[in-house]
Amino acid sequence: MTATAARCPMRGRPPDPSKRAAIVAAAGALFSRQGYGISMEAIAGEANVSKQTIYNLFSTKEHLFGAVVASCSETIIEAIPTPAEHAPPTEGLSRIAHEYVRFMTSGKIPLVYRLMISAPSEVGAVLTAQFYDNGPRRALAQVADYLRDQDRLGNLKIANPDLSAECFFGMLNGQILIRNMLGLQDHWSEAHLDEKADYCVAMFLSEHAQK
Amino acid sequence: MTATAARCPMRGRPPDPSKRAAIVAAAGALFSRQGYGISMEAIAGEANVSKQTIYNLFSTKEHLFGAVVASCSETIIEAIPTPAEHAPPTEGLSRIAHEYVRFMTSGKIPLVYRLMISAPSEVGAVLTAQFYDNGPRRALAQVADYLRDQDRLGNLKIANPDLSAECFFGMLNGQILIRNMLGLQDHWSEAHLDEKADYCVAMFLSEHAQK
DNA sequence: TATTTACTGGACTACATAGTCCATTTTGAC
DNA sequence: GTCAAAATGGACTATGTAGTCCAGTAAATA
């Protein structure tokens, strides 16, 4: 009966939604950069909000962390490369590859992964599982489905679509993800990224192209 | 003049080297599992040692963490797959691949990565860079050299050995590393690992084999 | 045996932080 | 204007932990 919104008269000062957004954003940034140990005071300061306001919205630090994780999963899902279903494999894979390497080097996503890992295990165990299922696993499944379709259509020869999808993303990742997670920031030039994407697509097709 | 060992008379109870080893081992395990926030008391307890003994050997928590990181780099270096230099590529790559996937799923190495990431940035920035250079980067360079040789020998056609090595390891990793770092432990069957290794080698050779 | 050093265990200090409380101010709805 | 809820800021409690201190005990040499 979630009648929360039905408290008709609606008296008093209405909550400012920008506060909540600012808190989640600040918490995300600080958790990623400094780890879960960052203080609530620091988060409040970064969000330009009083500590009490945080506790009005989130009962505990863990709840706040959960909210941050949820918002991250959304980010990842939005950014999943969706293969054009009827595009020929060369074109479809190439688009996925170029999008993905840019996605992974965009600065935002590595922070998401760092965030997930920064939580101590007691806090993060369930959340990380949810995150993986909602984000990376879904992206993987989508591409595996695409590969299955292309096999059925006779455009590619794919014996094990799941394995192929996993390895395809793996080679696109290369060292990017691990280096980012370790906090070693480096600049990957556009040319380098394109070269890598093209190389991976070529290798994948050389194995799977229907002759 | 490191004359520490030259204090000739050597009176008094000699230090027990097993204490230091136990401390580093316990700290490594707990940092990996629980994060840098784990208490020194807990480490002392896990190592069956008094807290004071830890502080006799390591002046601060950061120093202890540094010692753990150093020991991890060694572990990684020891486990770098070293390609047999004169083996034909099919065989050499296959050996690397099978060794590597087992290595990455051995349970020990994911913990090392988790350890590196668990340190808050102030503590870990320099250490993680050292770790990467001593461990993963070295492994990568070794395989790149191997690929360069095979290209020179006319066994493979490799335009960019560094890129090829990076992508080769990347596809072997697939989702293994990321899932382990997220703490999602799963069991990878031997058959699955062999299939993946064989698949990656086949794909790599199908692109690079000299016809 | 005497001496010197390693190690233990427990008490202790100093400090940071999660979370609470409350008096005051702001903001919008009526 | 009036009222109710939102937000502030600052004081406050409780707790946990890094690091110290110390008195006692174990283990080796001389």
Side-chain angles (χ1 to χ4, degrees), chain B residues 171-188:
Chain B
M171 65 178 139
L172 287 170
N173 267 334
Q175 297 294 106
I176 292 176
L177 181 60
I178 177 65
R179 286 187 57 85
N180 273 315
M181 287 175 99
L182 286 175
L184 313 165
Q185 70 255 54
D186 13 37
H187 175 68
W188 315 80

Side-chain angles (χ1 to χ4, degrees), chain A residues 91-175:
Chain A
E91 191 183 308
L93 289 176
S94 190
R95 207 186 109 231
I96 294 173
H98 282 87
E99 267 184 33
Y100 184 74
V101 292
R102 274 173 179 68
F103 175 54
M104 289 308 291
T105 52
S106 69
K108 189 163 187 180
I109 269 53
L111 283 181
V112 172
Y113 280 94
R114 275 181 70 82
L115 169 75
M116 299 308 307
I117 292 176
S118 72
S121 44
E122 324 94 62
V123 176
V126 178
L127 293 175
T128 48
Q130 287 175 358
F131 162 79
Y132 185 84
D133 287 345
N134 287 332
R137 185 198 288 282
R138 198 181 288 193
L140 225 40
Q142 226 169 68
V143 171
D145 286 344
Y146 173 76
L147 295 177
R148 223 181 310 270
D149 286 347
Q150 294 301 315
D151 179 84
R152 191 167 29 75
L153 294 170
N155 295 330
L156 292 176
K157 188 158 167 12
I158 310 269
N160 186 336
D162 293 313
L163 178 59
S164 291
E166 183 188 348
C167 291
F168 184 61
F169 278 120
M171 65 178 140
L172 287 170
N173 268 333
Q175 296 295 106

